[in-house]
Amino acid sequence: MTVYAYRCPHCSEIEVTFRIGTAPAAVPCPDCGAASVRAFSAPMLARTPAAVAARLQRAERSASEPEVVTSLPRRRAGGAVAVHPATGRLPRP
């Protein structure tokens, strides 16, 4: 099923679900009954991978309510902390 957008001349935009290729040119508005014409828009063809979507949602939540750190980050298997070249000159504890 595909969601199609229709624009009522008196009310607002309406979203209606039809099978692909079966959407009519106009549907009656559920509020006022006027003929609502189909509004064309760009399709959403790209899908975001689940891992990327989870990171984006976490970043959005963190923007207004930062996450509180309760423990130190884990060390790598060898016991050494990875050193980034940009932070190599900073003092280490």
Side-chain angles (χ1 to χ4, degrees), residues 15-92:
E15 290 185 348
V16 186
T17 306
F18 290 108
R19 296 181 75 187
I20 293 177
T22 61
V27 295
C29 176
D31 295 330
C32 66
S36 302
V37 294
R38 187 168 164 196
F40 291 93
S41 61
M44 296 182 63
L45 299 177
R47 298 189 88 158
T48 305
V52 174
R55 286 189 205 120
L56 289 172
Q57 288 177 348
R58 183 177 178 187
E60 287 176 9
R61 280 195 312 265
S62 176
S64 60
E65 298 175 14
E67 293 180 2
V68 177
V69 178
T70 58
S71 63
L72 294 173
R74 294 184 185 178
R75 293 184 178 254
R76 292 188 176 204
V81 176
V83 178
H84 190 276
T87 61
R89 294 185 306 229
L90 293 175
R92 298 284 173 204

